[in-house]
Amino acid sequence: MVYTASEDRYESMKYNRVGRSGLKLPAISLGLWHNFGGTDRFENGREMIRRAFDLGITHFDLANNYGPPPGSAEEMFGQVLKKDLAPYRDELVISSKAGYYMWPGPYGEWGSRKYLISSLDQSLKRMGLEYVDIFYSHRFDPDTPLEETMMALDHIVRSGKALYAGISSYSAEQTAEAIAILKELGTPLLIHQPNYSMLDRWIENGLQDVLEENGVGSIAFCPLAQGMLTSKYLNGIPENSRAASPTGALQENQITPEALRKIRALNQIAASRGQSLAQFALAWVLRGGKVTSALIGASRVSQIEENVAALSNSDFSEEELARIETILKTES
């Protein structure tokens, strides 16, 4: 059956301007870090992508190494584009990144001009695209001059292979330097993608100020702290969870008694607002307008539906914010 997007897909989603640019992103974006690779069931991923778009999620975030195996998430997304979303390409914001290990030898990771440009060429081929909307330097490279990495991003934008330049997981100081270099080159930095959640607030110590001062947007990855800020861990560690897997990004030693106390206390506030813990955590990340978009992951359609519903109750009272701060700052 031919896919036709929902006619009311733009009626309830909120769209936020990315810094001082002309681009807007949905408040909730979908990342393909997990559950969209070659080892996952294609039809499940396809169903999630289509449902996301029907709910107004226009931004799909990928990277060269997403899978597993690396590259397979882009290949899967390329198939969905070809089968379902090709007529809607101009309604989509598609991003990719390069920085982590992809192939053997000295040119297969980090931030050199050779690696970034080669990697993007491969990503475009995997997805069947002529360009991505945003291309990121996935991580800061301490051994490559930042000028070289930023000049590569500038070249990529000028060549038409990407419309905008982004960086991910750069410190406040590195970000400020990157902004200055790109400004001089004439390709402004559009967006920064940092890890940010109630349980990891490092960007509040300088990075958010740098972004706001320079009109750069931000999209928070892991806003649910790898699932810790969901109902999954309220009663311990389930057998099929990421924390139960020795190779998962979330490790069992992160689910400490102190973390559980905080999560359970936060869940009580969420319940008083009529929200799930995940909805509550997403609304908090987006509070005050400093974060352009929260980047969610998903393993099933119902999770996407639940997360998008967070936008129906995204305001906080001063009392609620104070209670949250008390919980988060309490030490064991």
Side-chain angles (χ1 to χ4, degrees):
M1 183 180 293
V2 176
Y3 167 73
T4 302
S6 172
E7 292 184 359
D8 62 359
R9 59 189 178 277
Y10 295 116
E11 290 187 5
S12 58
M13 177 57 67
K14 296 179 181 178
Y15 297 90
N16 299 320
R17 189 170 299 280
V18 188
R20 288 196 289 266
S21 77
L23 184 68
K24 292 183 178 181
L25 291 182
I28 303 291
S29 299
L30 182 62
L32 279 68
W33 182 13
H34 302 291
N35 304 314
F36 295 87
T39 61
D40 300 295
R41 190 167 64 87
F42 173 80
E43 286 302 328
N44 183 55
R46 182 185 188 185
E47 186 181 3
M48 288 192 287
I49 291 169
R50 298 198 314 189
R51 182 59 177 148
F53 186 52
D54 284 343
L55 290 169
I57 294 178
T58 54
H59 178 32
F60 297 90
D61 180 77
L62 298 103
N64 58 354
N65 63 328
Y66 288 176
S72 61
E74 290 182 328
E75 291 173 351
M76 179 272 174
F77 187 70
Q79 291 181 56
V80 176
L81 278 171
K82 185 176 180 179
K83 292 174 185 291
D84 302 318
L85 295 179
Y88 306 99
R89 173 63 183 98
D90 291 335
E91 297 182 41
L92 304 176
V93 173
I94 301 167
S95 63
S96 192
K97 318 177 197 72
Y100 289 93
Y101 179 84
M102 274 300 287
W103 61 84
Y107 321 121
E109 63 179 324
W110 293 107
S112 72
R113 178 185 180 94
K114 179 171 177 60
Y115 168 66
L116 292 179
I117 294 173
S118 298
S119 180
L120 177 55
D121 286 342
Q122 293 178 22
S123 292
L124 293 175
K125 191 174 296 184
R126 283 191 287 265
M127 290 188 283
L129 292 172
E130 294 181 357
Y131 69 94
V132 292
D133 297 276
I134 306 170
F135 185 68
Y136 290 88
S137 165
H138 206 166
R139 60 173 170 171
F140 176 79
D141 182 353
D143 296 320
T144 295
L146 189 57
E147 289 83 358
E148 178 177 340
T149 301
M150 294 304 108
M151 286 178 71
L153 292 181
D154 172 68
H155 169 80
I156 284 167
V157 171
R158 291 181 185 278
S159 70
K161 294 178 182 179
L163 303 185
Y164 299 96
I167 58 175
S168 179
S169 301
Y170 281 48
S171 70
E173 293 76 14
Q174 293 160 353
T175 299
E177 188 176 353
I179 289 170
I181 295 168
L182 284 171
K183 184 177 181 180
E184 186 172 343
L185 291 169
T187 298
L189 181 68
L190 174 79
I191 194 166
H192 188 298
Q193 186 175 132
N195 184 350
Y196 182 50
S197 72
M198 285 178 159
L199 302 181
D200 190 350
R201 303 173 64 178
W202 72 274
I203 71 171
E204 295 176 9
N205 297 320
L207 178 59
Q208 283 188 323
D209 292 336
V210 170
L211 299 178
E212 188 172 10
E213 289 166 7
N214 291 279
V216 177
S218 65
I219 178 168
F221 74 89
C222 292
L224 302 182
Q226 292 282 358
M228 287 177 66
L229 291 169
T230 70
S231 60
K232 183 178 292 185
Y233 298 102
L234 288 173
N235 298 308
I237 301 175
E239 288 184 8
N240 63 345
S241 65
R242 287 183 192 170
S245 170
T247 58
L250 178 65
Q251 294 299 298
E252 187 173 350
N253 60 12
Q254 294 174 251
I255 316 292
T256 63
E258 173 61 19
L260 286 173
R261 277 195 293 272
K262 290 182 179 182
I263 292 166
R264 288 164 181 159
L266 293 169
N267 187 56
Q268 290 181 351
I269 302 178
S272 71
R273 289 166 52 89
Q275 290 182 307
S276 68
L277 179 56
Q279 291 169 336
F280 173 70
L282 289 170
W284 182 88
V285 161
L286 293 166
R287 77 199 186 285
K290 288 190 174 183
V291 171
T292 311
S293 183
L295 185 59
I296 64 166
S299 60
R300 56 187 182 273
V301 165
S302 61
Q303 292 174 332
I304 299 173
E305 294 170 339
E306 176 190 350
N307 290 342
V308 170
L311 301 177
S312 64
N313 185 12
S314 56
D315 295 326
F316 291 85
S317 68
E318 291 297 324
E319 180 184 357
E320 286 175 323
L321 291 173
R323 287 174 63 197
I324 294 166
E325 287 297 318
T326 298
I327 293 167
L328 295 178
K329 291 180 178 179
T330 299
E331 300 293 337
S332 57

